[in-house]
Amino acid sequence: MNIILLGPPGAGKGTQSAGLVERHGMRQLSTGDMLRAAVKAGTPVGMRAKEVMERGELVSDEIVSDLIDAELASMAPATGAIFDGYPRTAAQADALDAILARNGRTLDHVIELEVNEDALVERITGRFSCGNCGALYHETANPPKVDGVCDICGSTEFKRRPDDNEETVRMRMQEYRAKTAPILPGYEARGIVTRVDGMAAIDTVAEEVDAILKG
Ligand code: AMP
């Protein structure tokens, strides 16, 4: 099973991907996570991507498609892939088709998380993650059970993404509308798109996503 989670920044792609990994043993391929790791490690890719990401613009198609290509090639054929934050342009959608074909995989579902854009800024500026295990939280919608302590690993270190500020979020949304939303009609023509209300509670969205995977 290979699926794309599509939706603007803050729609819940990362949260839903983490749930799918846990429930179904699928693998999350998040180009955003890969790029942040590259920035942290100071690799040539990371050095090229850092400022582009800080502005909320898109990194080059070639860089992200190469990252996906390498990751997919390392995966066992039976492991399902969740594409999170990729593809984001028409060129990336074409590249993904070629990469999947080379790996003997087909795209089963494109799940679009539909959200009210006005709520996204609040969602994004309130989110943070565990500095140790990466578990995702939100100040009001999904806080840790014990204030200041990670539910999963007990760490007390948390971090925020540098691009989760209002100005950058608005640029990221603009990029989504201009470059990413236009790839949906191509997938619709293949009959593989399902829309889910991304404003619903995390568990409700997860149930709907599971229902789609079951067919
Ligand atoms: P994300 O974690 O998916 O919100 O991505 C964070 C940032 O990484 C984006 O704002 C872009 O600058 C960059 N990025 C992540 N995925 C892609 C992609 N598929 N194409 C271009 N840029 C990307």
Side-chain angles (χ1 to χ4, degrees), residues 31-32 35-36 53 57 59 64 85-86 88 92 161 172:
T31 40
L35 290 167
R36 279 185 287 279
M53 293 171 75
E57 293 169 12
V59 173
V64 289
Y86 179 92
R88 260 176 155 100
Q92 292 177 27
R161 284 171 45 172
R172 286 156 65 199

Side-chain angles (χ1 to χ4, degrees), residues 110 112 114 181-195:
V110 176
E112 186 194 5
E114 287 190 303
I183 69 179
L184 263 165
Y187 291 127
E188 265 161 16
R190 295 194 216 168
I192 54 173
V193 177
T194 312
R195 298 198 158 74

Side-chain angles (χ1 to χ4, degrees), residues 106-166:
T106 49
L107 194 54
D108 299 286
H109 297 285
V110 176
I111 301 176
E112 186 194 5
L113 298 171
E114 287 190 303
V115 281
N116 162 3
E117 281 201 14
D118 293 339
L120 289 181
V121 173
E122 200 229 305
R123 262 202 189 185
I124 294 185
T125 53
R127 71 186 182 179
F128 59 98
S129 64
C130 173
N132 178 49
C133 75
L136 301 173
Y137 296 100
H138 187 277
E139 285 164 3
T140 51
N142 182 31
K145 290 191 181 75
V146 177
D147 191 26
V149 183
C150 177
D151 296 348
I152 309 293
C153 73
S155 168
T156 53
E157 300 287 325
F158 293 93
K159 60 181 184 185
R160 284 174 191 267
R161 284 171 45 172
D163 59 346
D164 276 354
N165 60 78
E166 181 161 354

